[in-house]
Amino acid sequence: MIGYSPQKTDDYVAVSVEATPGYVVGFEPMAHADRVHHMLVYGCTMPASEQGFWRGMETCGWGGGSYILYAWARNAPNLVLPKDVAFSVGHEQDGIKYFVLQVHYAQPFAGEVHDFSGVTMHISQRKPMNLAAVMLFVSGTPIPPQLPAFQNNITCMFESSTPIHPFAFRTHTHAMGRLVSAFFKHDGLWTKIGKRNPQWPQLFEAIPSKLTIGRGDQMSASCRFDSMDKNKTVKMGAMGVDEMCNFYMMFHYDAKLENPYPQGAVCAQDSPQLMKDYPLDGFELLPSRPELEHHAHQSKVPFGIVQEAIHESLGGIKLGQVAGLAFNNQKQLLVFHRAGRVWDASTFDNYNILLDKSPIKDPVILIISYQGNKTKIEKKLGGGQFHLPHGIYVDKDDFVYTTDVGSHTVSKWKIEGDELKNVWTSGEKMMPGPDQQHFCKPTGITRIGDQLYVTDGYCNSRVVVLDLNGKRIQQFGLPGDEAGQFNLPHDIVSDAAGRILVTDRENGRVQHMTTQGHVIEEFKSTMFTNIYSAASHEDYVFMVPGRPMMGHETEGIAVFVGRSGTGLIEYAFGPATRGKREQMGTQFGQPHCLRVSSDGETIFVGDIAEGKARLWQFKVQREESMTSSSSVSIGWPSLTQTDAKYNSFFVLLAISILVLGAYCVRRRCQNLENGGSLFDKRGFKPLRTEETVGFISDGSESD
């Protein structure tokens, strides 16, 4: 599996890619504080390593420039620069020939988790009137113990003849920091650059007023720490047990003038005598903002998705191929399995007609409750009522909906005691077809509002919309691989916003769509060639292939997790391993369905591998008090807007960066040459800071 899993506490890694010439107008982070402590993007003349990926804290190589472009921590949001302001990259005069992304992991993950955190840089080809840069104020003064307030101070004089204009700032400390501020002094008068609690999301906050710093002005910054719970001096350093005192000042200057800091801007001088009259406002704490502290919280418990159980039987009932999964309103799991029946090459004739037309005698719906890895069967339903189960869904009114690929039907059911009563069935039983009265091996179903959405399926490559009485309303989708087309739509779920996610199986993607069939985004990657099932929880999309990539069979199959609104994979997880890859324990056989509990804490995967049908159970590990940041609604500051003509480049953290990185560069550069914008269709509105929360035989005839 491609991706990085930290090996130790305070694990630093870096990746580099050649800079695309242009002007960076925005940064879109893809990470979460549960997994990543911080990320820094540098512009380098040369990277510290020629390998493309390396471990350690080194970023830029010796003998060239090193420029901070962007920094992220504590669930900070997107950053988009003001109008006519951008970072010059990839040109001879700016000294930036490579991008280097440094990622700091505070601790190893629990379970088999691999991370793909990174930053998307939005690059315009239009030269702006003003060029951007970042100055880092940094202190090395250690912090004595048992003090409620200790100040670290930093001062530098501005000596360039090119005036600079600060427009955004960011603060960074570790856990002891309570306030970081910066001011500059001109003609004896102090002006605030910015101040912020470093325990809040560490974004670049917009400076509301226009500032100008000129030759001879004094620039100073201060960090306030609370060391009352410490019994010894805490030194400044890069590890989690150390502290940091950083103030990042993002500024612009006239593009026609000389760069005021051609080798990079760093201020690290401690001059107490120049700080005697530092404004009291720079030391005074800000009012508490619990919602920000919650959003920015970094878990002390290692993040992980841990394999909790592998169920081959439930309540003494041996599982058949686990085709579908659903949760009911009592937080119980419905397992839709095929009992003793197996879908193989002899199940259908050449016209998609089921050969064995007898129903499955045994119960195929098992309703279970679970506590940890312990399960209990609450009900056994559906004996004698199904021919070849596939998809299942329970709505808010406790009606059960199923798809049966054997009978080519979609049905609505009501549970009465221990009986499963049919409400209606849509489609002609045992008769497949492409018209308005038939289905052909329908696969999945979900409800949004008063409408049902059915993926139909193996033959018809469409989504059929029904009302709650089973009457057809409309359909959309055609065979193909373009947006809105399908090559075996295999599963369908809804997201929190009432949109649909269709697993376009043989196109190897998940299409995120409106209920009218318009594509919002797609999740597609070189890391898989097929996707069998998907699930949504808050702003995350979980997706699982049913087959490994050709040539990568020994690596096993993983569940991939993307962030809604990005179309990108953020991390992946899979079954537990023991030792090295060649010594792996039990792995996925052929994952077919995937669902996430309503609290986001438990993930189930149904496996249909022949002779190895299983129900996999995973537990998300994080602090119990933590909830997803998506559940918090916060209003955030914004910068002014500018033109939307930019293209995108994604700096990807991955073990195989030389392969994947080259692919990403090539795909986006092709988009650049074609004059398109990869992110236009994602609704990315440029030039503001956004702190909105939430910031692998084809088996086609055997499943």
PDB file of all heavy atoms in Angstrom, residues 343-371:
ATOM      1  N   TRP A 343     -22.565 -16.707  -5.964  1.00  0.00           N
ATOM      2  CA  TRP A 343     -22.607 -16.187  -7.331  1.00  0.00           C
ATOM      3  C   TRP A 343     -21.306 -16.542  -8.027  1.00  0.00           C
ATOM      4  O   TRP A 343     -20.234 -16.071  -7.635  1.00  0.00           O
ATOM      5  CB  TRP A 343     -22.823 -14.673  -7.293  1.00  0.00           C
ATOM      6  CG  TRP A 343     -23.010 -14.049  -8.661  1.00  0.00           C
ATOM      7  CD1 TRP A 343     -22.914 -14.648  -9.873  1.00  0.00           C
ATOM      8  CD2 TRP A 343     -23.332 -12.690  -8.923  1.00  0.00           C
ATOM      9  NE1 TRP A 343     -23.153 -13.766 -10.889  1.00  0.00           N
ATOM     10  CE2 TRP A 343     -23.415 -12.542 -10.335  1.00  0.00           C
ATOM     11  CE3 TRP A 343     -23.558 -11.582  -8.125  1.00  0.00           C
ATOM     12  CZ2 TRP A 343     -23.701 -11.327 -10.934  1.00  0.00           C
ATOM     13  CZ3 TRP A 343     -23.851 -10.371  -8.725  1.00  0.00           C
ATOM     14  CH2 TRP A 343     -23.927 -10.245 -10.121  1.00  0.00           C
ATOM     15  N   ASP A 344     -21.384 -17.353  -9.054  1.00  0.00           N
ATOM     16  CA  ASP A 344     -20.200 -17.709  -9.830  1.00  0.00           C
ATOM     17  C   ASP A 344     -20.571 -17.722 -11.309  1.00  0.00           C
ATOM     18  O   ASP A 344     -21.655 -17.255 -11.697  1.00  0.00           O
ATOM     19  CB  ASP A 344     -19.611 -19.053  -9.370  1.00  0.00           C
ATOM     20  CG  ASP A 344     -20.605 -20.203  -9.438  1.00  0.00           C
ATOM     21  OD1 ASP A 344     -21.551 -20.129 -10.258  1.00  0.00           O
ATOM     22  OD2 ASP A 344     -20.448 -21.171  -8.674  1.00  0.00           O
ATOM     23  N   ALA A 345     -19.703 -18.243 -12.137  1.00  0.00           N
ATOM     24  CA  ALA A 345     -19.903 -18.189 -13.593  1.00  0.00           C
ATOM     25  C   ALA A 345     -21.113 -18.991 -14.061  1.00  0.00           C
ATOM     26  O   ALA A 345     -21.602 -18.793 -15.187  1.00  0.00           O
ATOM     27  CB  ALA A 345     -18.642 -18.684 -14.301  1.00  0.00           C
ATOM     28  N   SER A 346     -21.631 -19.899 -13.222  1.00  0.00           N
ATOM     29  CA  SER A 346     -22.769 -20.729 -13.631  1.00  0.00           C
ATOM     30  C   SER A 346     -24.092 -20.243 -13.043  1.00  0.00           C
ATOM     31  O   SER A 346     -25.110 -20.934 -13.157  1.00  0.00           O
ATOM     32  CB  SER A 346     -22.530 -22.181 -13.197  1.00  0.00           C
ATOM     33  OG  SER A 346     -22.436 -22.276 -11.778  1.00  0.00           O
ATOM     34  N   THR A 347     -24.127 -19.050 -12.465  1.00  0.00           N
ATOM     35  CA  THR A 347     -25.336 -18.563 -11.801  1.00  0.00           C
ATOM     36  C   THR A 347     -26.356 -18.033 -12.802  1.00  0.00           C
ATOM     37  O   THR A 347     -27.566 -18.226 -12.643  1.00  0.00           O
ATOM     38  CB  THR A 347     -24.972 -17.473 -10.781  1.00  0.00           C
ATOM     39  OG1 THR A 347     -24.056 -18.020  -9.829  1.00  0.00           O
ATOM     40  CG2 THR A 347     -26.195 -16.962 -10.049  1.00  0.00           C
ATOM     41  N   PHE A 348     -25.892 -17.334 -13.859  1.00  0.00           N
ATOM     42  CA  PHE A 348     -26.793 -16.750 -14.866  1.00  0.00           C
ATOM     43  C   PHE A 348     -26.471 -17.320 -16.243  1.00  0.00           C
ATOM     44  O   PHE A 348     -25.342 -17.753 -16.510  1.00  0.00           O
ATOM     45  CB  PHE A 348     -26.628 -15.227 -14.920  1.00  0.00           C
ATOM     46  CG  PHE A 348     -27.092 -14.510 -13.681  1.00  0.00           C
ATOM     47  CD1 PHE A 348     -26.216 -14.281 -12.624  1.00  0.00           C
ATOM     48  CD2 PHE A 348     -28.399 -14.048 -13.574  1.00  0.00           C
ATOM     49  CE1 PHE A 348     -26.631 -13.616 -11.484  1.00  0.00           C
ATOM     50  CE2 PHE A 348     -28.821 -13.376 -12.435  1.00  0.00           C
ATOM     51  CZ  PHE A 348     -27.932 -13.163 -11.380  1.00  0.00           C
ATOM     52  N   ASP A 349     -27.470 -17.263 -17.132  1.00  0.00           N
ATOM     53  CA  ASP A 349     -27.187 -17.620 -18.520  1.00  0.00           C
ATOM     54  C   ASP A 349     -26.686 -16.388 -19.270  1.00  0.00           C
ATOM     55  O   ASP A 349     -26.477 -15.325 -18.668  1.00  0.00           O
ATOM     56  CB  ASP A 349     -28.419 -18.230 -19.200  1.00  0.00           C
ATOM     57  CG  ASP A 349     -29.575 -17.240 -19.393  1.00  0.00           C
ATOM     58  OD1 ASP A 349     -29.364 -16.009 -19.229  1.00  0.00           O
ATOM     59  OD2 ASP A 349     -30.684 -17.698 -19.709  1.00  0.00           O
ATOM     60  N   ASN A 350     -26.523 -16.506 -20.578  1.00  0.00           N
ATOM     61  CA  ASN A 350     -25.971 -15.400 -21.356  1.00  0.00           C
ATOM     62  C   ASN A 350     -26.923 -14.218 -21.490  1.00  0.00           C
ATOM     63  O   ASN A 350     -26.545 -13.164 -22.000  1.00  0.00           O
ATOM     64  CB  ASN A 350     -25.571 -15.891 -22.752  1.00  0.00           C
ATOM     65  CG  ASN A 350     -24.390 -16.834 -22.721  1.00  0.00           C
ATOM     66  OD1 ASN A 350     -23.576 -16.793 -21.797  1.00  0.00           O
ATOM     67  ND2 ASN A 350     -24.292 -17.703 -23.722  1.00  0.00           N
ATOM     68  N   TYR A 351     -28.165 -14.411 -21.044  1.00  0.00           N
ATOM     69  CA  TYR A 351     -29.155 -13.341 -21.131  1.00  0.00           C
ATOM     70  C   TYR A 351     -29.496 -12.782 -19.751  1.00  0.00           C
ATOM     71  O   TYR A 351     -30.539 -12.169 -19.556  1.00  0.00           O
ATOM     72  CB  TYR A 351     -30.415 -13.857 -21.832  1.00  0.00           C
ATOM     73  CG  TYR A 351     -30.149 -14.362 -23.235  1.00  0.00           C
ATOM     74  CD1 TYR A 351     -29.949 -15.721 -23.455  1.00  0.00           C
ATOM     75  CD2 TYR A 351     -30.059 -13.480 -24.311  1.00  0.00           C
ATOM     76  CE1 TYR A 351     -29.680 -16.199 -24.735  1.00  0.00           C
ATOM     77  CE2 TYR A 351     -29.801 -13.947 -25.594  1.00  0.00           C
ATOM     78  CZ  TYR A 351     -29.604 -15.302 -25.801  1.00  0.00           C
ATOM     79  OH  TYR A 351     -29.335 -15.766 -27.065  1.00  0.00           O
ATOM     80  N   ASN A 352     -28.605 -13.014 -18.801  1.00  0.00           N
ATOM     81  CA  ASN A 352     -28.757 -12.532 -17.422  1.00  0.00           C
ATOM     82  C   ASN A 352     -29.956 -13.140 -16.701  1.00  0.00           C
ATOM     83  O   ASN A 352     -30.498 -12.554 -15.760  1.00  0.00           O
ATOM     84  CB  ASN A 352     -28.869 -11.002 -17.388  1.00  0.00           C
ATOM     85  CG  ASN A 352     -27.590 -10.323 -17.835  1.00  0.00           C
ATOM     86  OD1 ASN A 352     -26.518 -10.622 -17.315  1.00  0.00           O
ATOM     87  ND2 ASN A 352     -27.710  -9.451 -18.820  1.00  0.00           N
ATOM     88  N   ILE A 353     -30.403 -14.325 -17.146  1.00  0.00           N
ATOM     89  CA  ILE A 353     -31.498 -15.025 -16.489  1.00  0.00           C
ATOM     90  C   ILE A 353     -30.918 -15.971 -15.438  1.00  0.00           C
ATOM     91  O   ILE A 353     -30.020 -16.769 -15.722  1.00  0.00           O
ATOM     92  CB  ILE A 353     -32.340 -15.837 -17.497  1.00  0.00           C
ATOM     93  CG1 ILE A 353     -32.899 -14.907 -18.588  1.00  0.00           C
ATOM     94  CG2 ILE A 353     -33.454 -16.583 -16.779  1.00  0.00           C
ATOM     95  CD1 ILE A 353     -33.876 -13.883 -18.071  1.00  0.00           C
ATOM     96  N   LEU A 354     -31.429 -15.871 -14.207  1.00  0.00           N
ATOM     97  CA  LEU A 354     -30.978 -16.739 -13.124  1.00  0.00           C
ATOM     98  C   LEU A 354     -31.340 -18.186 -13.426  1.00  0.00           C
ATOM     99  O   LEU A 354     -32.494 -18.498 -13.778  1.00  0.00           O
ATOM    100  CB  LEU A 354     -31.634 -16.300 -11.809  1.00  0.00           C
ATOM    101  CG  LEU A 354     -31.169 -16.993 -10.531  1.00  0.00           C
ATOM    102  CD1 LEU A 354     -29.726 -16.610 -10.218  1.00  0.00           C
ATOM    103  CD2 LEU A 354     -32.086 -16.616  -9.366  1.00  0.00           C
ATOM    104  N   LEU A 355     -30.397 -19.108 -13.304  1.00  0.00           N
ATOM    105  CA  LEU A 355     -30.635 -20.509 -13.642  1.00  0.00           C
ATOM    106  C   LEU A 355     -31.349 -21.255 -12.522  1.00  0.00           C
ATOM    107  O   LEU A 355     -32.303 -22.000 -12.774  1.00  0.00           O
ATOM    108  CB  LEU A 355     -29.304 -21.188 -13.998  1.00  0.00           C
ATOM    109  CG  LEU A 355     -28.608 -20.617 -15.247  1.00  0.00           C
ATOM    110  CD1 LEU A 355     -27.284 -21.323 -15.501  1.00  0.00           C
ATOM    111  CD2 LEU A 355     -29.524 -20.750 -16.468  1.00  0.00           C
ATOM    112  N   ASP A 356     -30.917 -21.059 -11.294  1.00  0.00           N
ATOM    113  CA  ASP A 356     -31.599 -21.681 -10.155  1.00  0.00           C
ATOM    114  C   ASP A 356     -32.622 -20.685  -9.627  1.00  0.00           C
ATOM    115  O   ASP A 356     -32.282 -19.730  -8.929  1.00  0.00           O
ATOM    116  CB  ASP A 356     -30.585 -22.048  -9.069  1.00  0.00           C
ATOM    117  CG  ASP A 356     -31.235 -22.752  -7.881  1.00  0.00           C
ATOM    118  OD1 ASP A 356     -32.484 -22.881  -7.865  1.00  0.00           O
ATOM    119  OD2 ASP A 356     -30.491 -23.148  -6.954  1.00  0.00           O
ATOM    120  N   LYS A 357     -33.880 -20.901  -9.953  1.00  0.00           N
ATOM    121  CA  LYS A 357     -34.925 -19.929  -9.616  1.00  0.00           C
ATOM    122  C   LYS A 357     -35.556 -20.167  -8.248  1.00  0.00           C
ATOM    123  O   LYS A 357     -36.503 -19.473  -7.864  1.00  0.00           O
ATOM    124  CB  LYS A 357     -35.991 -19.905 -10.703  1.00  0.00           C
ATOM    125  CG  LYS A 357     -35.466 -19.415 -12.056  1.00  0.00           C
ATOM    126  CD  LYS A 357     -36.555 -19.447 -13.105  1.00  0.00           C
ATOM    127  CE  LYS A 357     -36.075 -18.825 -14.414  1.00  0.00           C
ATOM    128  NZ  LYS A 357     -34.853 -19.458 -14.937  1.00  0.00           N
ATOM    129  N   SER A 358     -35.056 -21.118  -7.519  1.00  0.00           N
ATOM    130  CA  SER A 358     -35.603 -21.345  -6.179  1.00  0.00           C
ATOM    131  C   SER A 358     -35.049 -20.306  -5.217  1.00  0.00           C
ATOM    132  O   SER A 358     -33.880 -19.929  -5.293  1.00  0.00           O
ATOM    133  CB  SER A 358     -35.231 -22.749  -5.692  1.00  0.00           C
ATOM    134  OG  SER A 358     -33.821 -22.876  -5.594  1.00  0.00           O
ATOM    135  N   PRO A 359     -35.878 -19.807  -4.284  1.00  0.00           N
ATOM    136  CA  PRO A 359     -35.382 -18.831  -3.310  1.00  0.00           C
ATOM    137  C   PRO A 359     -34.446 -19.497  -2.298  1.00  0.00           C
ATOM    138  O   PRO A 359     -34.482 -20.719  -2.099  1.00  0.00           O
ATOM    139  CB  PRO A 359     -36.657 -18.331  -2.635  1.00  0.00           C
ATOM    140  CG  PRO A 359     -37.628 -19.457  -2.779  1.00  0.00           C
ATOM    141  CD  PRO A 359     -37.313 -20.092  -4.110  1.00  0.00           C
ATOM    142  N   ILE A 360     -33.634 -18.676  -1.679  1.00  0.00           N
ATOM    143  CA  ILE A 360     -32.737 -19.159  -0.628  1.00  0.00           C
ATOM    144  C   ILE A 360     -33.581 -19.459   0.607  1.00  0.00           C
ATOM    145  O   ILE A 360     -34.291 -18.592   1.117  1.00  0.00           O
ATOM    146  CB  ILE A 360     -31.653 -18.108  -0.313  1.00  0.00           C
ATOM    147  CG1 ILE A 360     -30.823 -17.809  -1.569  1.00  0.00           C
ATOM    148  CG2 ILE A 360     -30.752 -18.579   0.820  1.00  0.00           C
ATOM    149  CD1 ILE A 360     -29.873 -16.630  -1.415  1.00  0.00           C
ATOM    150  N   LYS A 361     -33.521 -20.695   1.101  1.00  0.00           N
ATOM    151  CA  LYS A 361     -34.390 -21.107   2.206  1.00  0.00           C
ATOM    152  C   LYS A 361     -33.990 -20.474   3.538  1.00  0.00           C
ATOM    153  O   LYS A 361     -34.845 -20.166   4.372  1.00  0.00           O
ATOM    154  CB  LYS A 361     -34.392 -22.629   2.324  1.00  0.00           C
ATOM    155  CG  LYS A 361     -35.004 -23.340   1.117  1.00  0.00           C
ATOM    156  CD  LYS A 361     -34.980 -24.849   1.306  1.00  0.00           C
ATOM    157  CE  LYS A 361     -35.596 -25.552   0.099  1.00  0.00           C
ATOM    158  NZ  LYS A 361     -35.587 -27.037   0.256  1.00  0.00           N
ATOM    159  N   ASP A 362     -32.717 -20.302   3.757  1.00  0.00           N
ATOM    160  CA  ASP A 362     -32.246 -19.808   5.055  1.00  0.00           C
ATOM    161  C   ASP A 362     -32.427 -18.305   5.171  1.00  0.00           C
ATOM    162  O   ASP A 362     -32.482 -17.589   4.160  1.00  0.00           O
ATOM    163  CB  ASP A 362     -30.762 -20.158   5.241  1.00  0.00           C
ATOM    164  CG  ASP A 362     -30.521 -21.659   5.278  1.00  0.00           C
ATOM    165  OD1 ASP A 362     -31.345 -22.363   5.896  1.00  0.00           O
ATOM    166  OD2 ASP A 362     -29.527 -22.114   4.675  1.00  0.00           O
ATOM    167  N   PRO A 363     -32.490 -17.786   6.396  1.00  0.00           N
ATOM    168  CA  PRO A 363     -32.566 -16.329   6.588  1.00  0.00           C
ATOM    169  C   PRO A 363     -31.331 -15.642   6.002  1.00  0.00           C
ATOM    170  O   PRO A 363     -30.202 -16.078   6.252  1.00  0.00           O
ATOM    171  CB  PRO A 363     -32.621 -16.162   8.106  1.00  0.00           C
ATOM    172  CG  PRO A 363     -33.093 -17.476   8.624  1.00  0.00           C
ATOM    173  CD  PRO A 363     -32.551 -18.502   7.678  1.00  0.00           C
ATOM    174  N   VAL A 364     -31.565 -14.612   5.236  1.00  0.00           N
ATOM    175  CA  VAL A 364     -30.447 -13.897   4.607  1.00  0.00           C
ATOM    176  C   VAL A 364     -30.226 -12.523   5.228  1.00  0.00           C
ATOM    177  O   VAL A 364     -29.226 -11.860   4.937  1.00  0.00           O
ATOM    178  CB  VAL A 364     -30.660 -13.758   3.084  1.00  0.00           C
ATOM    179  CG1 VAL A 364     -30.654 -15.119   2.410  1.00  0.00           C
ATOM    180  CG2 VAL A 364     -31.952 -13.000   2.784  1.00  0.00           C
ATOM    181  N   ILE A 365     -31.164 -12.058   6.074  1.00  0.00           N
ATOM    182  CA  ILE A 365     -30.981 -10.796   6.797  1.00  0.00           C
ATOM    183  C   ILE A 365     -30.784 -11.119   8.269  1.00  0.00           C
ATOM    184  O   ILE A 365     -31.693 -11.659   8.928  1.00  0.00           O
ATOM    185  CB  ILE A 365     -32.180  -9.849   6.614  1.00  0.00           C
ATOM    186  CG1 ILE A 365     -32.355  -9.475   5.140  1.00  0.00           C
ATOM    187  CG2 ILE A 365     -31.997  -8.588   7.461  1.00  0.00           C
ATOM    188  CD1 ILE A 365     -33.575  -8.596   4.871  1.00  0.00           C
ATOM    189  N   LEU A 366     -29.623 -10.822   8.784  1.00  0.00           N
ATOM    190  CA  LEU A 366     -29.308 -11.015  10.203  1.00  0.00           C
ATOM    191  C   LEU A 366     -29.177  -9.644  10.847  1.00  0.00           C
ATOM    192  O   LEU A 366     -28.323  -8.845  10.445  1.00  0.00           O
ATOM    193  CB  LEU A 366     -28.010 -11.804  10.366  1.00  0.00           C
ATOM    194  CG  LEU A 366     -27.929 -13.150   9.634  1.00  0.00           C
ATOM    195  CD1 LEU A 366     -26.561 -13.794   9.876  1.00  0.00           C
ATOM    196  CD2 LEU A 366     -29.044 -14.089  10.063  1.00  0.00           C
ATOM    197  N   ILE A 367     -30.059  -9.352  11.789  1.00  0.00           N
ATOM    198  CA  ILE A 367     -29.975  -8.076  12.501  1.00  0.00           C
ATOM    199  C   ILE A 367     -29.197  -8.322  13.784  1.00  0.00           C
ATOM    200  O   ILE A 367     -29.611  -9.134  14.631  1.00  0.00           O
ATOM    201  CB  ILE A 367     -31.369  -7.512  12.811  1.00  0.00           C
ATOM    202  CG1 ILE A 367     -32.166  -7.336  11.508  1.00  0.00           C
ATOM    203  CG2 ILE A 367     -31.256  -6.184  13.548  1.00  0.00           C
ATOM    204  CD1 ILE A 367     -33.571  -6.803  11.713  1.00  0.00           C
ATOM    205  N   ILE A 368     -28.072  -7.628  13.936  1.00  0.00           N
ATOM    206  CA  ILE A 368     -27.218  -7.878  15.098  1.00  0.00           C
ATOM    207  C   ILE A 368     -26.990  -6.602  15.894  1.00  0.00           C
ATOM    208  O   ILE A 368     -26.960  -5.496  15.356  1.00  0.00           O
ATOM    209  CB  ILE A 368     -25.854  -8.471  14.682  1.00  0.00           C
ATOM    210  CG1 ILE A 368     -25.027  -7.448  13.871  1.00  0.00           C
ATOM    211  CG2 ILE A 368     -26.032  -9.761  13.893  1.00  0.00           C
ATOM    212  CD1 ILE A 368     -23.580  -7.858  13.676  1.00  0.00           C
ATOM    213  N   SER A 369     -26.855  -6.759  17.192  1.00  0.00           N
ATOM    214  CA  SER A 369     -26.337  -5.705  18.051  1.00  0.00           C
ATOM    215  C   SER A 369     -24.885  -6.070  18.343  1.00  0.00           C
ATOM    216  O   SER A 369     -24.489  -7.243  18.247  1.00  0.00           O
ATOM    217  CB  SER A 369     -27.145  -5.598  19.340  1.00  0.00           C
ATOM    218  OG  SER A 369     -27.169  -6.838  20.030  1.00  0.00           O
ATOM    219  N   TYR A 370     -24.101  -5.097  18.697  1.00  0.00           N
ATOM    220  CA  TYR A 370     -22.686  -5.372  18.948  1.00  0.00           C
ATOM    221  C   TYR A 370     -22.159  -4.468  20.063  1.00  0.00           C
ATOM    222  O   TYR A 370     -22.594  -3.332  20.244  1.00  0.00           O
ATOM    223  CB  TYR A 370     -21.845  -5.186  17.679  1.00  0.00           C
ATOM    224  CG  TYR A 370     -21.904  -3.807  17.078  1.00  0.00           C
ATOM    225  CD1 TYR A 370     -20.945  -2.839  17.387  1.00  0.00           C
ATOM    226  CD2 TYR A 370     -22.923  -3.461  16.191  1.00  0.00           C
ATOM    227  CE1 TYR A 370     -21.005  -1.572  16.841  1.00  0.00           C
ATOM    228  CE2 TYR A 370     -22.992  -2.198  15.637  1.00  0.00           C
ATOM    229  CZ  TYR A 370     -22.032  -1.258  15.964  1.00  0.00           C
ATOM    230  OH  TYR A 370     -22.102   0.001  15.422  1.00  0.00           O
ATOM    231  N   GLN A 371     -21.263  -5.009  20.823  1.00  0.00           N
ATOM    232  CA  GLN A 371     -20.559  -4.266  21.866  1.00  0.00           C
ATOM    233  C   GLN A 371     -19.110  -4.691  21.800  1.00  0.00           C
ATOM    234  O   GLN A 371     -18.769  -5.816  22.143  1.00  0.00           O
ATOM    235  CB  GLN A 371     -21.140  -4.583  23.252  1.00  0.00           C
ATOM    236  CG  GLN A 371     -20.543  -3.761  24.390  1.00  0.00           C
ATOM    237  CD  GLN A 371     -20.956  -2.296  24.313  1.00  0.00           C
ATOM    238  OE1 GLN A 371     -22.099  -1.983  23.996  1.00  0.00           O
ATOM    239  NE2 GLN A 371     -20.017  -1.404  24.589  1.00  0.00           N
TER     240      GLN A 371
END
